[in-house]
Amino acid sequence: MTYDQMLERVRYEGAYPTRERAEEAVRNVLAALGRQIVGNELVELASRLPAEAGLVLTAQVPDAEPLSGWGFVKDLAARNGATPATTRWETGAVLAVVAHLSGPDLLARILCRLPEGWALLFGQAQLRQPQPAA
């Protein structure tokens, strides 16, 4: 997928009126995502994205403490001066495309390394592991 194709897909997913608005969403979400993912998963994800998107993702300094899915949305909303509802929509539109490009195996590895609440942002079911009885 080219960067232009990625932007068009995000534009469709997010129902954005312009390509520029879709690109703003991609840049905001990928920059924030790049602060959450580290190691081999970050490098592998960047390699599966169009080069322009991969550069935005990898140009970030990782956060010291990873955020939950909801924490990610609230942090991104505060950074961009947007509402959490708008930011949740934006995040879902971008991460749905990222999930498609990453493939199921890489996405599963990424979700295993992130705190709770991220699966829904990627358009995946949030499954809980069974807990042993006390």
Side-chain angles (χ1 to χ4, degrees):
M1 179 180 288
T2 67
Y3 187 62
D4 286 335
Q5 290 170 327
M6 181 182 187
L7 294 179
E8 281 306 311
R9 185 124 182 224
V10 169
R11 181 178 177 191
Y12 175 80
E13 292 284 336
Y16 295 116
T18 65
R19 179 186 184 278
E20 291 75 20
R21 181 63 188 96
E23 184 168 25
E24 179 184 348
V26 166
R27 291 188 175 281
N28 289 340
V29 173
L30 288 181
L33 182 62
R35 292 189 291 272
Q36 299 299 308
I37 301 174
V38 296
N40 292 336
E41 287 78 17
L42 176 65
V43 174
E44 192 172 341
L45 179 58
S47 74
R48 294 185 187 194
L49 299 177
E52 299 90 329
L55 288 172
V56 172
L57 183 73
T58 58
Q60 309 307 311
V61 174
D63 284 345
E65 189 69 32
L67 299 170
S68 68
W70 179 237
F72 175 82
V73 170
K74 290 190 309 186
D75 180 67
L76 185 55
R79 288 176 187 263
N80 295 331
T83 66
T86 301
T87 303
R88 172 60 183 94
W89 179 267
E90 181 173 275
T91 301
V94 174
L95 294 184
V97 176
V98 169
H100 171 75
L101 291 172
S102 68
D105 293 335
L106 176 57
L107 182 57
R109 290 193 337 256
I110 289 170
L111 291 174
C112 282
R113 296 194 69 182
L114 291 170
E116 189 172 312
W118 278 87
L120 293 174
L121 297 178
F122 282 96
Q124 306 292 304
Q126 179 73 50
L127 302 176
R128 292 182 174 252
Q129 297 296 324
Q131 299 297 317

